[in-house]
Amino acid sequence: MIRMRGRLVVLQVLVVSLLALLAVRLWQVQVVRGDEFVVAATQTRTRDVVVPAVRGQILDAAGRPLVRNRTRLVVSVDRTSLNRMEGNGRGVLQRLATVLDRRPADLRERIRACGPGVPRPCWPGSPYQPIPIDDNVTTREALQILERQEEFPGVTAEVQAVREYPGSSAGAQALGYLQPITQAEMDRRAGSKAVFSGVDLVGRDGLESVYDSALRGVPGIRRMQVDRLGKVIGVERQVPPTPGDTLITSIDAKVQAVTEKALAEAMKSAPTADGAAAVVLDARTSRVIALASAPTYNPAIWTGGISEVAYQRLLSGKTGKPLVSRAIKGEFAPGSTFKVSSVAAMLKDGYPLNGQYDCPGSFMVGSRPFNNFRGIGLGTLTLHTALVKSCDTIFYKAAYEQWLRDGGLKPKAKTKEPMANMARAFGFGRPTGVDLPGESAGRIPDRHWKKDLWSATKADNCKRAKTGYPEVAKSDPSRAAFLKRLAYENCLEGYQWRPGDAANFSIGQGDVLVTPLQLAAAYAALVGDGRLRSPRLGWALVRPDGTMVKEIKTPVVRKLPISAKERAYIKGALSEVASDGTAAGAFVGFPMDKVKIGGKTGTAEVYGKADTSWFASFAPTDKPRFVVVVMVSQGGMGAQTAAPAARKIYEGIYGFTPTGGKAPAALPAHRPASEPPMIKRDGTVAR
């Protein structure tokens, strides 16, 4: 009996102790740490879901979509959640691969982080955001994932907008592409006014990059109530996203298509051609109507991730680097198209507008003869005829005389350098300021440039003057000997601006480099109102309901330093090139009586390669509305490849067949659009 009571006492003490311990624990949970557990409980009941804003469209000058959105079912994976699971979520990926009919290895590749040595596909964005692994799933596949969330933790399937390109590869480099925002970018922009959701795609090139903040919009937030398995049981709070603005451009989709086709055919017509570019500007405003570069690519390749093979193809020299826009980034010697600047420099320097100039077959520049094309002399000419027939020796003589007046090899303390200064006034040697990223500046060489180049390369030239070029000598001994001799001369006197440098400059050869867009902007200023403008592709930003946000102007950079009379004289000479000058053969049968074309051919020599083919032009000659510039790298003579391509562009714009008959015109009004299209409240274009 006593033993029984003792056991009961022990049991009572144990029960009381447990109750006391429970009471203390309840007091700690409810009183001491009550607020903490309330917050924790709340957090486990809700999930904040970022709702990306619908990105704004990019439209052409008639309201046709250049880039638009279409909805797709997208499956995404939260890599952070997977990494917390046993085996880093391998089981989840295995089940997901079965549903999507994909290999598990493919899914693992898509969610791994990009970095040095990691081939694509990989994830270039933030590691904390959901990673899209399939952007073209079926409704059945999506439902399997959503209805069995306990089997697919960290996996979502939802409708998202993805970019679509109606014109396929047309204008690809100008339009740009999208990529996920990286964590580093989010960290850098943390203090800025821009709002990023962590699931945003940002513009990486072209218009998508320049106008990214306007196109992107503002993401929304949806706070979801979920059960312990992660299934959604309700929506607690929702902040809707603000759609991005629509970008209206001055590009005309039909003219762009015509231009792309003309470039592709030009490339095929010249077996050695390795790249081409074309620019169509409004001659009065310098707005861009078409901007094309070949070879090109379809930017849809970026949607859903790009493979390593496809990515390397975009950058490879063997495929012509289709990711690079030769229209704004390509730098080429302009050949005789540059003579409009040289003529202006001669007039500014006092050469008579209506003077007579000898055009011999060859002219001695210092101790070296510089020849006309094929060494043919053309007699005594005016500057007008010198441009029409493309006489080189008149320009050699003027450049040599100007070089001598500046002191020759012993330059004066203050040199005039009329041709270099005039070239800069035409906009060469610096970016045009176009609303596209990565534009090249080109190069306008002069005495200062030559001295800076010598300082930068002297050590290597002096070393090569002693060691020579043994790696070249193995295959080409004479070439190696020439290079060694050149290195010796540059080591000793490479800082000198020689007479040959000045002569080559005058005809757009030597070290002169320009971009096709620079040349187009210069010609627009020359045949227009004399004002050099910074070209623009963007025309207006409007909200989805049609409310105007901003009109994008084409700023005036400067006024050309020549008179209206001198501009008219040069324009008059260029107006005869396509009918009676160096481009006449390319325009045989073109209806000049209806639309007269003016312009200038250019054939630029490149060491070790075929010539660069150029044609810079405008139409109609009496009141120019269009400027068209075509460049074909290794395309041969200007009249052989570039001029025929420009002709095809004009035929497309005006609606002519190759025989001069009628065809559907890309621009039935035969002029660029004068104002951007109106967007109605429902988002459609007012016709």
Side-chain angles (χ1 to χ4, degrees), residues 92-111:
V92 175
L93 288 180
Q94 181 70 50
R95 291 189 292 273
L96 186 59
T98 301
V99 171
L100 300 178
D101 194 22
R102 304 275 289 276
R103 295 189 310 121
D106 293 340
L107 303 188
R108 284 194 291 272
E109 287 177 351
R110 286 194 171 274
I111 66 173

Side-chain angles (χ1 to χ4, degrees), residues 19-148:
L19 289 173
L21 182 61
L22 181 60
V24 171
R25 184 58 181 160
L26 286 173
W27 180 77
Q28 286 182 326
V29 170
Q30 294 183 357
V31 179
V32 178
R33 301 179 64 189
D35 293 341
E36 177 185 343
F37 285 113
V38 167
V39 173
T42 302
Q43 288 177 337
T44 58
R45 288 192 302 106
T46 62
R47 294 287 186 273
D48 282 344
V49 178
V50 175
V51 183
V54 175
R55 194 172 179 89
Q57 297 185 90
I58 301 178
L59 307 180
D60 82 342
R64 295 177 289 250
L66 300 172
V67 184
R68 64 188 175 197
N69 302 306
R70 69 183 178 93
T71 56
R72 287 184 183 176
L73 274 169
V74 179
V75 171
S76 302
V77 171
D78 186 341
R79 190 175 66 196
T80 304
S81 296
L82 289 186
N83 290 339
R84 295 196 189 107
M85 300 175 193
E86 183 179 350
N88 291 327
R90 285 184 177 273
V92 175
L93 288 180
Q94 181 70 50
R95 291 189 292 273
L96 186 59
T98 301
V99 171
L100 300 178
D101 194 22
R102 304 275 289 276
R103 295 189 310 121
D106 293 340
L107 303 188
R108 284 194 291 272
E109 287 177 351
R110 286 194 171 274
I111 66 173
R112 65 186 173 181
C114 292
V118 179
R120 295 171 185 264
C122 58
W123 177 245
S126 169
Y128 305 110
Q129 68 185 83
I131 301 171
I133 58 170
D134 195 331
D135 64 355
N136 200 22
V137 300
T138 65
T139 304
R140 180 180 178 183
E141 291 168 339
L143 287 175
Q144 288 185 67
I145 295 168
L146 294 173
E147 291 176 352
R148 296 153 50 195

Side-chain angles (χ1 to χ4, degrees), residues 387-575:
L387 285 172
V388 175
K389 303 299 182 183
S390 204
C391 171
D392 290 338
T393 49
I394 287 176
F395 295 95
Y396 293 148
K397 183 174 185 292
Y400 183 49
E401 291 170 346
Q402 291 174 345
W403 178 82
L404 289 173
R405 287 196 289 270
D406 273 340
L409 293 175
K410 296 181 179 179
K412 298 176 181 178
K414 189 174 182 179
T415 57
K416 292 176 62 178
E417 299 195 85
M419 289 199 177
N421 288 329
M422 182 59 71
R424 294 190 187 94
F426 268 75
F428 301 118
R430 59 173 62 89
T432 66
V434 66
D435 50 346
L436 291 173
E439 183 187 13
S440 298
R443 183 171 64 207
I444 295 300
D446 58 12
R447 293 177 186 271
H448 291 294
W449 172 84
K450 196 73 182 289
K451 189 174 291 185
D452 290 342
L453 179 66
W454 176 74
S455 298
T457 60
K458 180 182 177 183
D460 184 63
N461 279 324
C462 292
K463 178 183 176 181
R464 288 291 191 172
K466 295 178 180 179
T467 64
Y469 292 80
E471 68 277 16
V472 179
K474 294 178 182 179
S475 58
D476 192 344
S478 60
R479 171 72 176 159
F482 168 76
L483 291 175
K484 183 178 181 180
R485 186 167 62 254
L486 184 63
Y488 176 75
E489 293 176 2
N490 286 332
C491 173
L492 296 180
E493 302 174 338
Y495 61 89
Q496 292 182 333
W497 182 250
R498 299 186 177 96
D501 295 327
N504 279 326
F505 185 105
S506 70
I507 62 164
Q509 289 279 181
D511 294 305
V512 179
L513 296 176
V514 306
T515 70
L517 183 61
Q518 284 177 331
L519 194 63
Y523 269 67
L526 179 68
V527 304
D529 61 3
R531 291 177 172 84
L532 182 69
R533 291 174 172 83
S534 179
R536 289 290 182 272
L537 285 79
W539 201 346
L541 287 165
V542 300
R543 294 193 177 93
D545 64 0
T547 305
M548 176 72 74
V549 176
K550 177 185 178 183
E551 184 174 356
I552 302 162
K553 305 289 187 181
T554 53
V556 174
V557 178
R558 69 178 62 84
K559 196 173 185 299
L560 296 183
I562 55 176
S563 67
K565 180 180 179 181
E566 291 167 333
R567 285 192 291 105
Y569 182 89
I570 298 172
K571 175 172 164 283
L574 300 180
S575 298

